[in-house]
Amino acid sequence: MSVLEVETVPSPATGQETRAEDELAPTFYVICWNDPVNIMSYVTHVFMKVFGWNREKAQKHMMEVHEKGKSVLVRESAEKAEFYVHQLHMYKLQATMERAE
Amino acid sequence: MKLLKTVEEVRLYELTAQEGSLLMQLLRHFPFSGLKPATISQRRDEQTAERELLLNESLKQHREELKRAAAAIAARITPSRRSYSLELDPANREVLMQIMNDIRVGAWQALGEPETFEVDPSQLSSNEQAQWQLMHLADFFEVGLIESES
Protein backbone atom coordinates (compact mmCIF):
# COMPACT_ATOMS: atom_id res chain seq x y z
CA MET A 1 0.00 0.00 0.00
CA SER A 2 1.41 3.40 -0.94
CA VAL A 3 1.39 6.31 1.46
CA LEU A 4 -1.36 7.91 -0.60
CA GLU A 5 -3.71 5.01 -0.15
CA VAL A 6 -5.85 5.13 2.91
CA GLU A 7 -6.63 2.00 4.85
CA THR A 8 -10.29 1.65 5.68
CA VAL A 9 -10.63 1.33 9.41
CA PRO A 10 -14.01 1.05 11.08
CA SER A 11 -14.55 4.42 12.68
CA PRO A 12 -16.21 4.92 16.04
CA ALA A 13 -17.88 7.92 14.44
CA THR A 14 -20.24 5.59 12.59
CA GLY A 15 -21.56 4.11 15.84
CA GLN A 16 -25.13 4.28 17.01
CA GLU A 17 -24.50 7.01 19.61
CA THR A 18 -23.13 9.36 16.95
CA ARG A 19 -26.05 8.64 14.64
CA ALA A 20 -28.39 9.57 17.45
CA GLU A 21 -26.42 12.79 18.01
CA ASP A 22 -26.63 13.60 14.29
CA GLU A 23 -30.36 13.11 14.39
CA LEU A 24 -30.57 15.61 17.27
CA ALA A 25 -28.27 18.17 15.63
CA PRO A 26 -30.27 21.14 14.36
CA THR A 27 -30.80 21.49 10.66
CA PHE A 28 -31.30 24.69 8.74
CA TYR A 29 -33.30 25.76 5.73
CA VAL A 30 -31.38 27.78 3.18
CA ILE A 31 -33.83 30.38 1.88
CA CYS A 32 -33.39 32.69 -1.08
CA TRP A 33 -35.41 35.92 -0.94
CA ASN A 34 -36.74 37.92 -3.84
CA ASP A 35 -35.21 41.23 -4.82
CA PRO A 36 -35.98 43.53 -7.73
CA VAL A 37 -32.41 43.71 -9.03
CA ASN A 38 -31.10 40.22 -9.82
CA ILE A 39 -32.24 39.04 -13.24
CA MET A 40 -34.09 35.74 -13.54
CA SER A 41 -31.58 34.06 -15.84
CA TYR A 42 -28.77 35.04 -13.47
CA VAL A 43 -30.58 33.55 -10.45
CA THR A 44 -31.16 30.31 -12.38
CA HIS A 45 -27.48 30.21 -13.34
CA VAL A 46 -26.39 30.73 -9.73
CA PHE A 47 -28.62 27.93 -8.43
CA MET A 48 -27.19 25.59 -11.07
CA LYS A 49 -23.63 26.51 -10.11
CA VAL A 50 -23.98 26.51 -6.32
CA PHE A 51 -26.17 23.41 -5.93
CA GLY A 52 -25.23 21.54 -9.10
CA TRP A 53 -28.91 21.40 -10.10
CA ASN A 54 -30.16 20.92 -13.63
CA ARG A 55 -31.78 23.91 -15.37
CA GLU A 56 -35.33 22.64 -14.75
CA LYS A 57 -34.90 22.42 -10.97
CA ALA A 58 -33.01 25.72 -10.80
CA GLN A 59 -35.73 27.48 -12.82
CA LYS A 60 -38.45 26.02 -10.60
CA HIS A 61 -36.82 27.53 -7.49
CA MET A 62 -36.08 30.81 -9.29
CA MET A 63 -39.76 31.12 -10.26
CA GLU A 64 -40.76 30.36 -6.68
CA VAL A 65 -38.51 33.19 -5.46
CA HIS A 66 -39.94 35.51 -8.10
CA GLU A 67 -43.62 34.68 -7.55
CA LYS A 68 -43.80 33.86 -3.84
CA GLY A 69 -41.05 36.13 -2.55
CA LYS A 70 -38.83 33.29 -1.33
CA SER A 71 -37.86 29.70 -1.93
CA VAL A 72 -36.54 27.10 0.49
CA LEU A 73 -33.60 25.74 -1.45
CA VAL A 74 -32.19 22.99 0.77
CA ARG A 75 -32.32 21.66 4.33
CA GLU A 76 -28.84 21.05 5.69
CA SER A 77 -26.62 20.87 8.76
CA ALA A 78 -25.51 24.24 10.17
CA GLU A 79 -22.10 23.96 8.54
CA LYS A 80 -23.41 23.14 5.07
CA ALA A 81 -26.21 25.68 5.28
CA GLU A 82 -23.69 28.36 6.23
CA PHE A 83 -21.49 27.36 3.30
CA TYR A 84 -24.39 27.67 0.85
CA VAL A 85 -25.46 31.04 2.26
CA HIS A 86 -21.90 32.33 1.84
CA GLN A 87 -21.86 31.13 -1.76
CA LEU A 88 -25.20 32.78 -2.57
CA HIS A 89 -24.12 36.07 -1.01
CA MET A 90 -20.93 35.99 -3.06
CA TYR A 91 -23.22 36.01 -6.09
CA LYS A 92 -25.15 38.90 -4.50
CA LEU A 93 -28.31 36.92 -3.87
CA GLN A 94 -30.20 37.55 -0.64
CA ALA A 95 -30.10 34.28 1.24
CA THR A 96 -30.52 33.31 4.88
CA MET A 97 -30.30 30.15 6.95
CA GLU A 98 -33.25 29.56 9.25
CA ARG A 99 -33.43 26.83 11.85
CA ALA A 100 -35.81 24.04 10.87
CA GLU A 101 -38.18 23.40 13.78
CA MET B 1 -20.37 41.26 -27.24
CA LYS B 2 -20.41 38.35 -29.62
CA LEU B 3 -19.39 34.79 -28.95
CA LEU B 4 -17.08 33.78 -31.80
CA LYS B 5 -16.12 30.24 -30.86
CA THR B 6 -15.76 27.72 -28.05
CA VAL B 7 -12.76 25.41 -27.88
CA GLU B 8 -12.65 22.96 -24.97
CA GLU B 9 -14.84 25.19 -22.78
CA VAL B 10 -12.71 28.26 -23.51
CA ARG B 11 -14.83 30.92 -25.21
CA LEU B 12 -13.61 33.64 -27.50
CA TYR B 13 -15.70 36.82 -27.52
CA GLU B 14 -15.50 39.69 -29.93
CA LEU B 15 -16.19 43.15 -28.54
CA THR B 16 -16.74 46.27 -30.59
CA ALA B 17 -14.27 49.10 -29.98
CA GLN B 18 -16.81 50.81 -27.73
CA GLU B 19 -17.68 47.62 -25.82
CA GLY B 20 -14.01 46.75 -25.31
CA SER B 21 -13.19 50.20 -24.05
CA LEU B 22 -16.20 50.30 -21.69
CA LEU B 23 -15.52 46.82 -20.30
CA MET B 24 -11.89 47.76 -19.62
CA GLN B 25 -13.02 50.89 -17.78
CA LEU B 26 -15.50 48.91 -15.69
CA LEU B 27 -12.90 46.32 -14.74
CA ARG B 28 -10.11 48.80 -14.03
CA HIS B 29 -12.28 50.91 -11.74
CA PHE B 30 -13.99 48.02 -9.95
CA PRO B 31 -15.38 48.17 -7.28
CA PHE B 32 -17.69 51.16 -7.67
CA SER B 33 -19.49 50.80 -4.35
CA GLY B 34 -18.89 49.90 -0.75
CA LEU B 35 -20.06 46.59 0.67
CA LYS B 36 -23.44 46.67 2.34
CA PRO B 37 -23.51 44.45 5.47
CA ALA B 38 -25.17 41.11 4.72
CA THR B 39 -27.76 39.37 6.89
CA ILE B 40 -27.35 35.65 7.49
CA SER B 41 -30.59 34.94 9.33
CA GLN B 42 -33.83 36.59 10.37
CA ARG B 43 -33.22 35.26 13.87
CA ARG B 44 -31.17 37.57 16.10
CA ASP B 45 -29.02 35.85 18.71
CA GLU B 46 -25.36 35.51 19.66
CA GLN B 47 -24.67 32.61 17.32
CA THR B 48 -26.26 34.45 14.41
CA ALA B 49 -24.14 37.51 15.19
CA GLU B 50 -20.98 35.37 15.06
CA ARG B 51 -22.06 33.75 11.81
CA GLU B 52 -22.88 37.15 10.33
CA LEU B 53 -19.48 38.50 11.28
CA LEU B 54 -17.83 35.58 9.48
CA LEU B 55 -20.07 36.05 6.45
CA ASN B 56 -19.22 39.73 6.15
CA GLU B 57 -15.52 39.05 6.61
CA SER B 58 -15.70 36.39 3.92
CA LEU B 59 -17.55 38.77 1.56
CA LYS B 60 -14.88 41.39 2.14
CA GLN B 61 -12.17 38.92 1.15
CA HIS B 62 -14.20 37.81 -1.84
CA ARG B 63 -14.50 41.44 -2.98
CA GLU B 64 -10.70 41.73 -2.84
CA GLU B 65 -10.36 38.57 -4.92
CA LEU B 66 -12.83 39.95 -7.45
CA LYS B 67 -10.87 43.18 -7.60
CA ARG B 68 -7.66 41.30 -8.44
CA ALA B 69 -9.53 39.15 -10.97
CA ALA B 70 -11.04 42.27 -12.58
CA ALA B 71 -7.58 43.72 -13.19
CA ALA B 72 -6.38 40.39 -14.61
CA ILE B 73 -9.37 40.10 -16.99
CA ALA B 74 -8.96 43.73 -18.10
CA ALA B 75 -5.39 42.89 -19.10
CA ARG B 76 -6.67 40.03 -21.27
CA ILE B 77 -8.85 42.25 -23.44
CA THR B 78 -6.84 42.31 -26.63
CA PRO B 79 -7.23 45.04 -29.24
CA SER B 80 -7.40 44.05 -32.87
CA ARG B 81 -7.92 46.36 -35.86
CA ARG B 82 -11.44 47.64 -35.20
CA SER B 83 -12.50 45.56 -32.26
CA TYR B 84 -11.32 43.74 -29.15
CA SER B 85 -11.20 40.06 -28.31
CA LEU B 86 -11.48 38.36 -24.96
CA GLU B 87 -10.81 34.70 -24.25
CA LEU B 88 -12.42 33.31 -21.10
CA ASP B 89 -12.29 29.87 -19.51
CA PRO B 90 -15.28 28.77 -17.35
CA ALA B 91 -13.70 30.08 -14.11
CA ASN B 92 -13.02 33.50 -15.61
CA ARG B 93 -16.52 33.70 -17.10
CA GLU B 94 -17.97 32.97 -13.68
CA VAL B 95 -15.82 35.63 -12.05
CA LEU B 96 -16.65 38.21 -14.74
CA MET B 97 -20.34 37.49 -14.28
CA GLN B 98 -19.98 38.04 -10.51
CA ILE B 99 -18.11 41.32 -11.11
CA MET B 100 -20.80 42.63 -13.47
CA ASN B 101 -23.56 41.63 -11.07
CA ASP B 102 -21.68 43.23 -8.18
CA ILE B 103 -21.57 46.48 -10.17
CA ARG B 104 -25.29 46.24 -11.01
CA VAL B 105 -26.36 45.55 -7.44
CA GLY B 106 -24.03 48.26 -6.06
CA ALA B 107 -25.49 50.85 -8.46
CA TRP B 108 -29.02 49.76 -7.60
CA GLN B 109 -28.26 50.17 -3.88
CA ALA B 110 -26.77 53.62 -4.56
CA LEU B 111 -30.04 54.53 -6.30
CA GLY B 112 -31.94 53.69 -3.11
CA GLU B 113 -32.93 50.13 -4.10
CA PRO B 114 -35.88 51.09 -6.33
CA GLU B 115 -38.63 48.48 -6.71
CA THR B 116 -39.16 49.37 -10.33
CA PHE B 117 -36.84 50.26 -13.18
CA GLU B 118 -39.44 52.30 -15.05
CA VAL B 119 -37.76 55.59 -14.29
CA ASP B 120 -37.32 58.63 -16.48
CA PRO B 121 -33.52 59.14 -16.36
CA SER B 122 -33.96 62.85 -17.09
CA GLN B 123 -35.62 63.18 -13.66
CA LEU B 124 -32.51 61.87 -11.92
CA SER B 125 -29.65 63.91 -10.47
CA SER B 126 -26.30 63.71 -12.28
CA ASN B 127 -24.97 61.24 -9.70
CA GLU B 128 -28.09 59.09 -10.03
CA GLN B 129 -27.80 59.20 -13.80
CA ALA B 130 -24.21 57.94 -13.53
CA GLN B 131 -25.36 55.06 -11.29
CA TRP B 132 -28.22 54.33 -13.66
CA GLN B 133 -25.84 54.10 -16.63
CA LEU B 134 -23.40 51.98 -14.64
CA MET B 135 -26.20 49.56 -13.76
CA HIS B 136 -27.30 49.21 -17.39
CA LEU B 137 -23.77 48.91 -18.68
CA ALA B 138 -22.96 46.06 -16.30
CA ASP B 139 -26.31 44.50 -17.19
CA PHE B 140 -25.34 44.48 -20.88
CA PHE B 141 -22.17 42.45 -20.25
CA GLU B 142 -23.79 40.21 -17.64
CA VAL B 143 -26.63 39.25 -19.97
CA GLY B 144 -24.15 38.67 -22.79
CA LEU B 145 -22.24 36.20 -20.62
CA ILE B 146 -25.37 34.42 -19.37
CA GLU B 147 -26.73 34.05 -22.90
CA SER B 148 -23.47 32.52 -24.07
CA GLU B 149 -23.76 29.93 -21.28
CA SER B 150 -27.18 28.64 -22.33
Side-chain angles (χ1 to χ4, degrees), chain A residues 9 12 21-23 25 34 40 46 50-51 64-65 68 79 84 88 94 97 100:
Chain A
V9 178
E21 274 175 30
D22 286 347
E23 281 159 16
N34 192 32
M40 291 158 92
V46 173
V50 171
F51 298 102
E64 201 171 33
V65 173
K68 296 181 180 170
E79 197 182 340
Y84 284 134
L88 293 167
Q94 291 179 23
M97 54 189 284

mmCIF file of all heavy atoms in Angstrom, chain A residues 9 12 21-23 25 34 40 46 50-51 64-65 68 79 84 88 94 97 100:
data_model
loop_
_atom_site.group_PDB
_atom_site.id
_atom_site.type_symbol
_atom_site.label_atom_id
_atom_site.label_comp_id
_atom_site.label_asym_id
_atom_site.label_seq_id
_atom_site.Cartn_x
_atom_site.Cartn_y
_atom_site.Cartn_z
ATOM 1 N N VAL A 9 -10.546 1.818 8.036
ATOM 2 C CA VAL A 9 -10.626 1.334 9.414
ATOM 3 C C VAL A 9 -12.016 1.669 9.938
ATOM 4 O O VAL A 9 -12.485 2.808 9.751
ATOM 5 C CB VAL A 9 -9.554 2.047 10.294
ATOM 6 C CG1 VAL A 9 -9.648 1.600 11.737
ATOM 7 C CG2 VAL A 9 -8.173 1.790 9.750
ATOM 8 N N PRO A 12 -15.206 4.833 14.982
ATOM 9 C CA PRO A 12 -16.207 4.917 16.037
ATOM 10 C C PRO A 12 -17.280 5.971 15.716
ATOM 11 O O PRO A 12 -18.360 5.959 16.268
ATOM 12 C CB PRO A 12 -15.405 5.330 17.273
ATOM 13 C CG PRO A 12 -14.136 5.898 16.755
ATOM 14 C CD PRO A 12 -13.888 5.237 15.442
ATOM 15 N N GLU A 21 -26.808 11.378 17.855
ATOM 16 C CA GLU A 21 -26.417 12.790 18.011
ATOM 17 C C GLU A 21 -26.716 13.569 16.743
ATOM 18 O O GLU A 21 -27.224 14.679 16.778
ATOM 19 C CB GLU A 21 -24.922 12.906 18.317
ATOM 20 C CG GLU A 21 -24.590 12.791 19.780
ATOM 21 C CD GLU A 21 -23.095 12.796 20.020
ATOM 22 O OE1 GLU A 21 -22.364 13.418 19.237
ATOM 23 O OE2 GLU A 21 -22.666 12.144 20.990
ATOM 24 N N ASP A 22 -26.375 12.943 15.569
ATOM 25 C CA ASP A 22 -26.626 13.596 14.289
ATOM 26 C C ASP A 22 -28.110 13.895 14.108
ATOM 27 O O ASP A 22 -28.492 14.935 13.583
ATOM 28 C CB ASP A 22 -26.152 12.720 13.120
ATOM 29 C CG ASP A 22 -24.638 12.724 13.006
ATOM 30 O OD1 ASP A 22 -24.016 13.579 13.657
ATOM 31 O OD2 ASP A 22 -24.101 11.864 12.289
ATOM 32 N N GLU A 23 -28.919 12.925 14.558
ATOM 33 C CA GLU A 23 -30.356 13.111 14.393
ATOM 34 C C GLU A 23 -30.859 14.277 15.239
ATOM 35 O O GLU A 23 -31.824 14.933 14.911
ATOM 36 C CB GLU A 23 -31.103 11.808 14.755
ATOM 37 C CG GLU A 23 -31.039 10.802 13.600
ATOM 38 C CD GLU A 23 -31.281 9.381 14.044
ATOM 39 O OE1 GLU A 23 -31.797 9.178 15.153
ATOM 40 O OE2 GLU A 23 -30.928 8.466 13.277
ATOM 41 N N ALA A 25 -28.916 16.912 16.043
ATOM 42 C CA ALA A 25 -28.274 18.166 15.630
ATOM 43 C C ALA A 25 -29.262 18.995 14.822
ATOM 44 O O ALA A 25 -29.988 18.461 13.991
ATOM 45 C CB ALA A 25 -27.046 17.861 14.782
ATOM 46 N N ASN A 34 -36.603 37.143 -2.604
ATOM 47 C CA ASN A 34 -36.743 37.916 -3.838
ATOM 48 C C ASN A 34 -36.150 39.316 -3.694
ATOM 49 O O ASN A 34 -36.137 39.885 -2.609
ATOM 50 C CB ASN A 34 -38.234 38.034 -4.195
ATOM 51 C CG ASN A 34 -38.447 38.573 -5.591
ATOM 52 O OD1 ASN A 34 -37.634 38.319 -6.490
ATOM 53 N ND2 ASN A 34 -39.506 39.324 -5.788
ATOM 54 N N MET A 40 -33.637 37.128 -13.700
ATOM 55 C CA MET A 40 -34.093 35.741 -13.540
ATOM 56 C C MET A 40 -33.082 34.723 -14.092
ATOM 57 O O MET A 40 -32.810 33.702 -13.472
ATOM 58 C CB MET A 40 -35.466 35.569 -14.185
ATOM 59 C CG MET A 40 -36.555 36.309 -13.423
ATOM 60 S SD MET A 40 -37.989 36.657 -14.417
ATOM 61 C CE MET A 40 -38.997 35.238 -14.084
ATOM 62 N N VAL A 46 -27.037 30.861 -11.047
ATOM 63 C CA VAL A 46 -26.387 30.733 -9.731
ATOM 64 C C VAL A 46 -26.843 29.446 -9.030
ATOM 65 O O VAL A 46 -26.015 28.707 -8.479
ATOM 66 C CB VAL A 46 -26.681 31.976 -8.847
ATOM 67 C CG1 VAL A 46 -26.147 31.770 -7.435
ATOM 68 C CG2 VAL A 46 -26.077 33.221 -9.464
ATOM 69 N N VAL A 50 -24.195 26.727 -7.763
ATOM 70 C CA VAL A 50 -23.979 26.512 -6.324
ATOM 71 C C VAL A 50 -24.456 25.124 -5.878
ATOM 72 O O VAL A 50 -23.783 24.458 -5.097
ATOM 73 C CB VAL A 50 -24.664 27.633 -5.496
ATOM 74 C CG1 VAL A 50 -24.636 27.326 -4.008
ATOM 75 C CG2 VAL A 50 -23.985 28.971 -5.766
ATOM 76 N N PHE A 51 -25.618 24.692 -6.399
ATOM 77 C CA PHE A 51 -26.173 23.413 -5.928
ATOM 78 C C PHE A 51 -25.967 22.271 -6.921
ATOM 79 O O PHE A 51 -26.286 21.127 -6.600
ATOM 80 C CB PHE A 51 -27.670 23.577 -5.628
ATOM 81 C CG PHE A 51 -27.940 24.587 -4.537
ATOM 82 C CD1 PHE A 51 -28.388 25.864 -4.836
ATOM 83 C CD2 PHE A 51 -27.700 24.267 -3.204
ATOM 84 C CE1 PHE A 51 -28.610 26.799 -3.839
ATOM 85 C CE2 PHE A 51 -27.920 25.197 -2.190
ATOM 86 C CZ PHE A 51 -28.373 26.466 -2.511
ATOM 87 N N GLU A 64 -40.166 30.322 -8.006
ATOM 88 C CA GLU A 64 -40.765 30.361 -6.675
ATOM 89 C C GLU A 64 -40.323 31.653 -5.939
ATOM 90 O O GLU A 64 -41.126 32.318 -5.297
ATOM 91 C CB GLU A 64 -40.355 29.124 -5.881
ATOM 92 C CG GLU A 64 -41.289 28.837 -4.744
ATOM 93 C CD GLU A 64 -41.021 27.494 -4.079
ATOM 94 O OE1 GLU A 64 -39.840 27.064 -4.017
ATOM 95 O OE2 GLU A 64 -41.978 26.880 -3.613
ATOM 96 N N VAL A 65 -39.031 31.956 -6.062
ATOM 97 C CA VAL A 65 -38.508 33.191 -5.458
ATOM 98 C C VAL A 65 -39.241 34.392 -6.062
ATOM 99 O O VAL A 65 -39.728 35.276 -5.348
ATOM 100 C CB VAL A 65 -36.979 33.335 -5.715
ATOM 101 C CG1 VAL A 65 -36.479 34.700 -5.249
ATOM 102 C CG2 VAL A 65 -36.198 32.230 -5.022
ATOM 103 N N LYS A 68 -43.348 33.946 -5.237
ATOM 104 C CA LYS A 68 -43.799 33.856 -3.840
ATOM 105 C C LYS A 68 -42.942 34.689 -2.875
ATOM 106 O O LYS A 68 -43.208 34.717 -1.685
ATOM 107 C CB LYS A 68 -43.804 32.395 -3.396
ATOM 108 C CG LYS A 68 -44.807 31.547 -4.190
ATOM 109 C CD LYS A 68 -44.811 30.118 -3.736
ATOM 110 C CE LYS A 68 -45.819 29.299 -4.538
ATOM 111 N NZ LYS A 68 -45.687 27.855 -4.294
ATOM 112 N N GLU A 79 -23.337 23.690 9.280
ATOM 113 C CA GLU A 79 -22.104 23.955 8.542
ATOM 114 C C GLU A 79 -22.369 24.076 7.031
ATOM 115 O O GLU A 79 -21.896 25.004 6.374
ATOM 116 C CB GLU A 79 -21.125 22.817 8.816
ATOM 117 C CG GLU A 79 -19.691 23.145 8.472
ATOM 118 C CD GLU A 79 -18.762 21.967 8.726
ATOM 119 O OE1 GLU A 79 -19.140 21.055 9.503
ATOM 120 O OE2 GLU A 79 -17.680 21.948 8.137
ATOM 121 N N TYR A 84 -23.528 27.288 1.971
ATOM 122 C CA TYR A 84 -24.387 27.674 0.845
ATOM 123 C C TYR A 84 -24.782 29.153 0.914
ATOM 124 O O TYR A 84 -24.817 29.838 -0.110
ATOM 125 C CB TYR A 84 -25.641 26.795 0.797
ATOM 126 C CG TYR A 84 -25.397 25.409 0.273
ATOM 127 C CD1 TYR A 84 -25.918 24.287 0.920
ATOM 128 C CD2 TYR A 84 -24.653 25.201 -0.888
ATOM 129 C CE1 TYR A 84 -25.698 22.994 0.436
ATOM 130 C CE2 TYR A 84 -24.433 23.921 -1.385
ATOM 131 C CZ TYR A 84 -24.957 22.825 -0.715
ATOM 132 O OH TYR A 84 -24.734 21.566 -1.201
ATOM 133 N N LEU A 88 -24.123 31.982 -1.954
ATOM 134 C CA LEU A 88 -25.199 32.775 -2.574
ATOM 135 C C LEU A 88 -24.948 34.271 -2.394
ATOM 136 O O LEU A 88 -25.183 35.064 -3.301
ATOM 137 C CB LEU A 88 -26.561 32.369 -1.993
ATOM 138 C CG LEU A 88 -26.992 30.933 -2.357
ATOM 139 C CD1 LEU A 88 -28.178 30.503 -1.491
ATOM 140 C CD2 LEU A 88 -27.340 30.785 -3.825
ATOM 141 N N GLN A 94 -29.842 37.397 -2.044
ATOM 142 C CA GLN A 94 -30.201 37.554 -0.640
ATOM 143 C C GLN A 94 -30.648 36.204 -0.112
ATOM 144 O O GLN A 94 -31.733 35.720 -0.470
ATOM 145 C CB GLN A 94 -31.306 38.595 -0.505
ATOM 146 C CG GLN A 94 -30.795 39.993 -0.833
ATOM 147 C CD GLN A 94 -31.856 41.057 -0.729
ATOM 148 O OE1 GLN A 94 -32.852 40.893 -0.041
ATOM 149 N NE2 GLN A 94 -31.643 42.158 -1.410
ATOM 150 N N MET A 97 -30.139 31.509 6.416
ATOM 151 C CA MET A 97 -30.305 30.149 6.954
ATOM 152 C C MET A 97 -31.222 30.259 8.167
ATOM 153 O O MET A 97 -30.975 31.072 9.059
ATOM 154 C CB MET A 97 -28.962 29.504 7.306
ATOM 155 C CG MET A 97 -28.077 30.312 8.234
ATOM 156 S SD MET A 97 -26.408 29.636 8.401
ATOM 157 C CE MET A 97 -26.706 28.242 9.479
ATOM 158 N N ALA A 100 -34.620 24.847 11.158
ATOM 159 C CA ALA A 100 -35.807 24.035 10.870
ATOM 160 C C ALA A 100 -36.357 23.520 12.191
ATOM 161 O O ALA A 100 -35.628 22.904 12.967
ATOM 162 C CB ALA A 100 -35.437 22.879 9.965
#
